[in-house]
Amino acid sequence: MPSLMVKLYSVIFKYQQKHLLQGLIETPESNKSNPFGITSRPHESIAASNPSFTDGVATKDIRANPYSSLSLRIFLPDTAVTSSLPSSYQILNYGGYSPVEGRSHRKLPVMLQFHGGGFVSGSNESVGNDTFCRRIAKLCDVIVVAVGYRLAPETKYPGAFEDGFKVLNWLAKQSNLAVCGRLGAQNHIFDSFGASMVEPWLAAHGDTSRVCQLCVGIWDVNRCVLLGVSSGANIADYVARKAVEAGKRLDPVKVVAQILMFPFFIGRTPTHSEIKLASTYFYDKTMCKLAWKLFLPKEEFNLDHPAANPLVAGKQPPLKCMPPTITVVAEHDFMRDRAIAYSEELRKVNVDAPLLDYKDAVHEFATLDVLLQTPQAQACAEDVSIWVKKYISLRGHEFSY
């Protein structure tokens, strides 16, 4: 059974989250719509970014799109600069890290991270998400790009999902702009996605693991991993599917793996865990349904919506085309069975899809701020890092899309 601390925190969390969900449900529709969107709620505890290497990781915030609130927080581990390479960085007057142009820099894979919160809360800049992403950046030795997607109900489906794929496209554009810079082209190029120039941390340290010869020149292929937490796992899975469909249109970026942590999956026909654990800790079934009502447009509300149920018939592309996928589930999470079923279906078509099932654990046990320092949360992050390194350390590995 979960500890007494976890049970007490669950009571507080459910009270606060139900109050938020009910308040949003009762808000008049005319006051909900906001095309620009919001990426956090007033009650959220926000961690300030710090471009110096505090606790081994430097962070910075950037706006990914001038026409919406979509934002990014970049986490750069100090292993990118503390290497055998000669001094290749400088500390500017404001105390932040800036790569020196014209020098060699250590390259790291990029991981896009999508936070949880039932599509209606959470933030890529929250204290809990900031701590989690710092841990993952250090353990996996990757650049983490935490995506501040637009929340519901101000932005309904497919807003958050489209934001996720826009960031993957933005990453591909940044990679191409960086290549142009290395080939001697003008660095100060205005990017139509919202960046007026190459993002310097990604340009200097974004992975360049392979080189493809094209008729127009030389292009680096960058390894990218997707990581989604709770509702963020649904977004990650959508982005992975879109990446498969896009194929070479995303060059030079290649999604080589995805990590689904406690996916926010549900369906019209209840599973065993959805019946047995309907009133369990943290997110219960009633709260989950309210979140989906706030996220999906009224005319599209259906628990078998493709965004909610990964196993509905007709979803594209075929599962055999999906990248390697590790799934994390918890014993006391009512959504666990559908995530397990999805993992099993991936394995049936020979996708590397291991399952990590944690005893006595609850939904988001490895990512909630109050639980981040527990031994189980730290062990989960380490387990995930061991698996993902198989794919981010490979050279020339390619999947058939």
Side-chain angles (χ1 to χ4, degrees):
M1 292 294 291
S3 68
L4 179 60
M5 180 196 75
V6 171
K7 293 178 180 179
L8 290 174
Y9 187 72
S10 173
V11 171
I12 297 170
F13 176 89
K14 290 175 81 168
Y15 173 80
Q16 294 175 335
Q17 198 69 10
K18 284 182 177 179
H19 180 75
L20 171 65
L21 291 167
Q22 288 291 351
L24 293 173
I25 286 283
E26 293 168 5
T27 302
E29 287 294 328
S30 59
N31 296 341
K32 291 179 182 177
S33 180
N34 179 355
F36 188 77
I38 64 169
T39 57
S40 66
R41 301 280 174 199
H43 71 272
E44 205 74 55
S45 297
I46 301 298
S49 61
N50 186 344
S52 301
F53 289 101
T54 303
D55 297 327
V57 179
T59 61
K60 71 158 70 167
D61 296 329
I62 61 175
R63 286 290 175 189
N65 187 342
Y67 305 108
S68 79
S69 59
L70 176 61
S71 64
L72 307 174
R73 173 164 290 187
I74 302 176
F75 296 78
L76 180 69
D78 61 8
T79 53
V81 296
T82 54
S83 66
S84 58
L85 294 173
S87 177
S88 59
Y89 65 94
Q90 62 183 355
I91 303 299
L92 300 181
N93 291 333
Y94 67 88
Y97 165 68
S98 179
V100 176
E101 292 185 11
R103 299 277 187 87
S104 295
H105 302 280
R106 183 167 181 243
K107 306 296 184 181
L108 298 176
V110 176
M111 179 182 289
L112 295 187
Q113 188 263 357
F114 304 94
H115 66 81
F119 302 112
V120 301
S121 62
S123 169
N124 65 324
E125 302 172 1
S126 71
V127 171
N129 201 68
D130 185 86
T131 303
F132 173 71
C133 288
R134 285 175 178 273
R135 175 178 291 169
I136 291 296
K138 288 189 284 188
L139 283 174
C140 297
D141 201 22
V142 295
I143 300 171
V144 176
V145 178
V147 180
Y149 55 85
R150 291 170 295 167
L151 301 177
E154 291 81 1
T155 303
K156 295 278 192 176
Y157 171 87
F161 283 55
E162 291 179 341
D163 285 350
F165 191 56
K166 282 179 182 178
V167 173
L168 190 63
N169 275 288
W170 174 84
L171 187 61
K173 291 180 180 181
Q174 285 292 324
S175 299
N176 283 321
L177 291 174
V179 170
C180 290
R182 289 196 292 276
L183 294 176
Q186 175 59 258
N187 275 341
H188 300 285
I189 303 172
F190 284 92
D191 181 2
S192 62
F193 188 66
S196 61
M197 58 189 297
V198 174
E199 205 301 304
W201 287 7
L202 293 177
H205 298 291
D207 167 67
T208 53
S209 62
R210 291 177 286 145
V211 177
C212 294
Q213 298 287 345
L214 301 179
C215 60
V216 294
I218 300 175
W219 298 89
D220 302 306
V221 179
N222 293 17
R223 294 167 294 175
C224 180
V225 176
L226 307 176
L227 186 156
V229 176
S230 188
S231 55
N234 297 49
I235 299 173
D237 191 63
Y238 170 87
V239 173
R241 290 173 182 272
K242 295 297 288 185
V244 169
E245 293 175 352
K248 293 188 180 298
R249 294 197 300 276
L250 276 175
D251 282 350
V253 168
K254 174 76 78 174
V255 174
V256 298
Q258 68 168 337
I259 304 160
L260 305 182
M261 302 183 73
F262 348 102
F264 207 65
F265 296 153
I266 197 169
R268 192 159 50 187
T269 303
T271 64
H272 176 71
S273 66
E274 289 171 0
I275 296 172
K276 180 182 177 182
L277 303 172
S279 300
T280 192
Y281 308 99
F282 294 92
Y283 254 99
D284 59 33
K285 193 167 184 178
T286 301
M287 294 166 64
C288 186
K289 285 184 176 180
L290 286 176
W292 280 108
K293 282 185 178 180
L294 287 164
F295 181 57
L296 295 174
K298 188 174 182 179
E299 64 276 10
E300 292 186 42
F301 179 72
N302 179 0
L303 293 183
D304 277 337
H305 191 285
N309 190 343
L311 297 175
V312 292
K315 285 191 76 168
Q316 292 294 328
L319 289 182
K320 66 180 181 180
C321 300
M322 294 295 282
T325 302
I326 190 169
T327 304
V328 177
V329 296
E331 181 182 8
H332 295 282
D333 184 357
F334 91 92
M335 292 175 269
R336 58 178 276 113
D337 281 1
R338 208 171 297 273
I340 293 171
Y342 184 46
S343 181
E344 289 173 349
E345 291 301 312
L346 289 170
R347 288 195 294 278
K348 286 179 183 178
V349 292
N350 297 317
V351 174
D352 181 19
L355 179 75
L356 298 180
D357 190 350
Y358 291 86
K359 186 176 177 58
D360 294 330
V362 297
H363 187 73
E364 282 206 62
F365 73 90
T367 54
L368 283 173
D369 52 359
V370 75
L371 303 178
L372 274 169
Q373 301 310 319
T374 62
Q376 201 170 36
Q378 297 183 55
C380 177
E382 291 169 1
D383 293 342
V384 166
S385 71
I386 291 169
W387 178 81
V388 80
K389 283 178 180 177
K390 293 194 304 181
Y391 295 99
I392 60 178
S393 63
L394 288 177
R395 299 281 172 171
H397 193 91
E398 188 163 0
F399 301 102
S400 176
Y401 288 176

